[in-house]
């Protein structure tokens, strides 16, 4: 049987730097765990614009449709700020999401004990936290019609429309229930059914998918504003949260900050299952191309490495190996190894991007 395939799109700024560390880890899993991947690399964002005049070529798009998983670094940078909107680096990312129809955005909020003090919340509220926010990514108010700014009488009116079909709700609900079965078996669905019709439909459809297909998973419903409060009050009450595009945008950023640094946050965007049963998938760190530190060996590669751990778990059914990688990262952090973004007020000497990668590999070796 052919090896599972990965397309690496490292992108711009610190993207290639953090991706170099991911490539070392992929090689390690091949050499030490017999997990061989067919890895190809291509350009996205400003790097693609420089060569092809577009932030994602048709050929790269076609490759992304064929592989089992896309790993993306980051796109963008000041050099490209002057470009026309249609060829800005971010358009490459949006094209991937749209054409692969990646409707479920997974944003874990996981707090490693060793860096719990980086959170703005108290240590006991966040230490050991491990929750997953599933945000609907391709519909809702960011896409609904009518939209625009019109003139009514003598003033202007801004219009956006929240619109969800039953099937759009059902498919993201299934993603959340499937995930919950591999984790703590609990889903909390968040909307505003008290004031929005789309919220009433959301709640009904999620409940129906639960009752007919996933009765074994514990389901609760919460208004999204109360959900925001509960996330800050006692986030460990949650396992998987499923919510729409707008609320997910807000709630996943709130949850992200529970855990400290941007350099630690992975994400996955999943679509419908392909012929081989694997979902269409793209994995990427939450952070951008960080032009302020690019080229200096200062970037924290952990967000990108954790994104690969998500690929192991959700695309390649290697949950145990994903846990091995996460444990290696936890061990390195517990040993006090820190990139510059993780330096506390007590100071110390930060390690470089590649030293952090090497330490994680050493911890992986030690796990055998
Ligand atoms: P950013 O995430 O690139 O950086 C914000 C801050 O966090 C910076 O101070 C940066 O140094 C720091 N940071 C980010 N990642 C880090 C890491 N791995 N290790 C250590 N420090 C890290 O956001 P920004 O500055 O708003 O945007 C910079 C560029 O990235 C822009 O062109 C923006 O459009 C683009 N961007 C791309 C993506 C993406 O590719 N998904 C996401 C956000 C922003």
């Amino acid at each position: 049987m052919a090896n599972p395939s990965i397309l690496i799109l490292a992108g711009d700024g610190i993207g290639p730097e953090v991706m170099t560390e991911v490539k070392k880890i992929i090689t390690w899993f091949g050499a030490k765990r017999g997990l061989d991947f067919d890895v190809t690399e291509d350009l996205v964002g400003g790097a693609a614009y420089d060569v092809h005049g577009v932030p994602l070529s048709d050929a790269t798009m076609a490759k992304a449709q064929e592989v089992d998983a896309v790993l993306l670094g980051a796109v963008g940078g000041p050099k490209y700020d002057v470009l026309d909107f249609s060829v800005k680096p971010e358009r490459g990312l949006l094209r991937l999401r749209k054409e692969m129809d990646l409707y479920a955005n997974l944003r874990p909020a996981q707090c490693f004990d060793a860096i719990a003090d980086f959170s703005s919340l108290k240590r006991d509220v966040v230490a050991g936290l491990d929750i997953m926010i599933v945000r609907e990514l391709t519909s809702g108010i960011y896409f609904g019609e009518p939209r625009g700014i019109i003139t009514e009488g003598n003033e202007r009116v801004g219009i956006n429309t929240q619109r969800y079909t039953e099937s759009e709700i059902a498919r993201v609900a299934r993603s959340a229930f499937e995930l919950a079965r591999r984790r703590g078996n609990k889903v909390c669905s968040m909307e505003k059914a008290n004031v929005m019709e789309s919220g009433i439909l959301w709640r009904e459809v999620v409940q129906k998918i639960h009752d007919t297909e996933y009765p074994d998973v514990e389901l609760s419903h919460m208004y999204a504003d109360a959900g925001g409060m509960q996330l800050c009050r006692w986030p460990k009450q949650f396992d998987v949260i499923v919510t729409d595009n707008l609320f997910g945008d807000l709630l996943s950023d709130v949850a992200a900050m529970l855990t400290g640094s941007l350099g630690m946050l992975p994400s996955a965007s999943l679509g419908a299952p392909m012929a081989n049963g694997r979902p269409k998938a793209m994995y990427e760190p939450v952070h951008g191309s960080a032009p302020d530190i690019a080229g200096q060996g200062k970037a924290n590669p952990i967000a990108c490495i954790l994104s690969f751990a998500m690929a192991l778990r959700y695309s390649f059914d290697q949950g145990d190996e994903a846990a091995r990688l996460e444990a290696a990262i936890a061990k390195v952090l517990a040993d006090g190894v820190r990139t510059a973004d993780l330096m506390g007020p007590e100071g110390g000497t930060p390690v470089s991007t590649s030293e952090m990668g090497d330490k994680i590999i050493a911890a992986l070796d030690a796990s055998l």
Side-chain angles (χ1 to χ4, degrees), residues 16-264:
E17 298 171 44
V18 294
M19 199 58 87
T20 298
E21 304 314 306
V22 174
K23 285 189 269 181
K24 287 186 198 166
I25 305 258
I26 294 175
T27 304
W28 186 90
F29 275 100
K32 301 288 172 75
R33 304 299 298 156
L35 279 180
D36 290 312
F37 296 98
D38 287 340
V39 178
T40 47
E41 294 190 53
D42 212 329
L43 302 172
V44 69
Y49 177 82
D50 288 341
V51 175
H52 302 299
V54 285
L56 188 80
S57 72
D58 291 345
T60 313
M61 187 64 241
K63 275 189 214 168
Q65 296 282 21
E66 278 162 20
V67 292
D68 293 316
V70 176
L71 294 186
L72 188 128
V75 298
K79 178 178 161 194
Y80 307 104
D81 285 350
V82 295
L83 293 181
D84 184 73
F85 184 69
S86 63
V87 288
K88 277 204 186 296
E90 291 74 10
R91 303 295 297 175
L93 198 53
L94 294 179
R95 181 174 179 198
L96 283 162
R97 286 182 185 152
K98 184 164 190 298
E99 294 193 18
M100 292 170 75
D101 198 13
L102 303 174
Y103 53 79
N105 182 226
L106 277 50
R107 293 265 302 258
Q110 203 177 1
C111 187
F112 290 92
D113 265 16
I115 55 165
D117 293 326
F118 278 77
S119 173
S120 53
L121 298 188
K122 290 191 204 94
R123 167 172 272 277
D124 70 316
V125 176
V126 293
L129 178 71
D130 181 9
I131 62 178
M132 176 76 80
I133 300 199
V134 180
R135 165 189 172 195
E136 199 291 325
L137 200 60
T138 53
S139 185
I141 199 161
Y142 294 157
F143 297 93
E145 299 283 347
R147 62 186 298 159
I149 300 176
I150 61 166
T151 302
E152 263 179 18
N154 55 5
E155 66 173 349
R156 293 187 302 157
V157 183
I159 300 171
N160 290 93
T161 302
Q162 168 85 332
R163 183 179 191 279
Y164 271 108
T165 65
E166 288 182 277
S167 55
E168 285 168 343
I169 302 167
R171 64 184 189 172
V172 75
R174 285 191 185 96
S175 300
F177 288 124
E178 290 289 337
L179 271 170
R181 276 185 176 163
R182 297 171 179 214
R183 298 172 41 96
N185 216 36
K186 261 184 4 182
V187 170
C188 180
S189 170
M190 296 189 185
E191 28 55 19
K192 292 276 288 177
N194 48 343
V195 285
M196 295 170 75
E197 284 74 10
S198 59
I200 295 173
L201 185 69
W202 182 281
R203 188 175 284 222
E204 277 177 22
V205 172
V206 172
Q207 187 68 50
K208 184 169 149 214
I209 296 293
H210 169 267
D211 296 349
T212 52
E213 299 174 38
Y214 301 92
D216 53 304
V217 180
E218 187 183 324
L219 171 66
S220 59
H221 302 275
M222 202 177 269
Y223 297 138
D225 48 347
M229 275 198 309
Q230 292 300 328
L231 266 175
C232 296
R233 191 185 70 84
W234 191 243
K236 290 182 205 169
Q237 69 187 282
F238 298 113
D239 175 28
V240 174
I241 292 172
V242 63
T243 188
D244 71 18
N245 202 342
L246 174 65
F247 296 138
D249 199 359
L250 307 181
L251 293 170
S252 61
D253 270 19
V254 171
M257 272 305 99
L258 302 178
T259 68
S261 169
L262 202 48
M264 298 288 300

Side-chain angles (χ1 to χ4, degrees), residues 14 18 72-78 81 89-90 93 97 261-264 284-294 298-303 339-341:
I14 62 168
V18 294
L72 188 128
V75 298
D81 285 350
E90 291 74 10
L93 198 53
R97 286 182 185 152
S261 169
L262 202 48
M264 298 288 300
E284 56 183 313
V286 168
H287 63 71
S289 59
D292 54 335
I293 56 166
K298 286 186 184 166
N300 183 350
I302 292 180
T339 41
D341 57 307

